[in-house]
Amino acid sequence: MNWILLIIGGLFETGFAISLGKAQQTSGKEFYLWILAFAIFVCASMFLLYKSMGGEHAIPVGTAYAVWGAIGAIGTIIAGIILFKEPMGFWRLFFLTTLIISVVGLQIVSSKA
């Protein structure tokens, strides 16, 4: 259950990064709505990170933070490519893939510890 909370928290981290990107592209009332979305996403993300590190099946803080940050980074890169038309070159995708492999590896070794 803690891994599920952590994954959802990482997705909310993607949400708060996207919200900041969208806020930079807007003004007026729309700007404030994106800032409100940012505040909601960041609170939810931090709360789920916190919850994933506690309880009977707690994820170690170092692993939880690394995985949470990586999920947010991966989601933000993918969203940037799709929503903000950011470049999608070979090296960018190569290192994104190595990041994904690293996150999976951390999950595997943490569940065996």
Side-chain angles (χ1 to χ4, degrees), residues 66-109:
V67 170
W68 173 82
I71 291 169
I74 292 164
T76 303
I77 290 168
I78 293 169
I81 291 168
I82 294 168
L83 299 174
F84 300 109
K85 309 295 186 229
E86 293 177 357
M88 181 178 60
F90 170 78
W91 288 111
R92 192 166 192 199
L93 293 177
F94 173 79
F95 288 115
L96 178 62
T97 302
T98 62
L99 183 57
I100 292 168
I101 292 167
S102 297
V103 168
V104 171
L106 274 173
Q107 183 175 3
I108 290 168
V109 299

Side-chain angles (χ1 to χ4, degrees), residues 16-28 30-35 38 84 86:
F16 78 68
I18 292 168
S19 297
L20 287 178
K22 294 300 265 183
Q24 289 180 338
Q25 296 177 342
T26 61
S27 61
E30 191 175 353
F31 168 81
Y32 291 108
L33 290 174
W34 281 114
I35 294 299
F38 164 77
F84 300 109
E86 293 177 357

Side-chain angles (χ1 to χ4, degrees), residues 54-67:
E56 184 179 337
H57 301 288
I59 301 170
V61 65
T63 301
Y65 185 75
V67 170

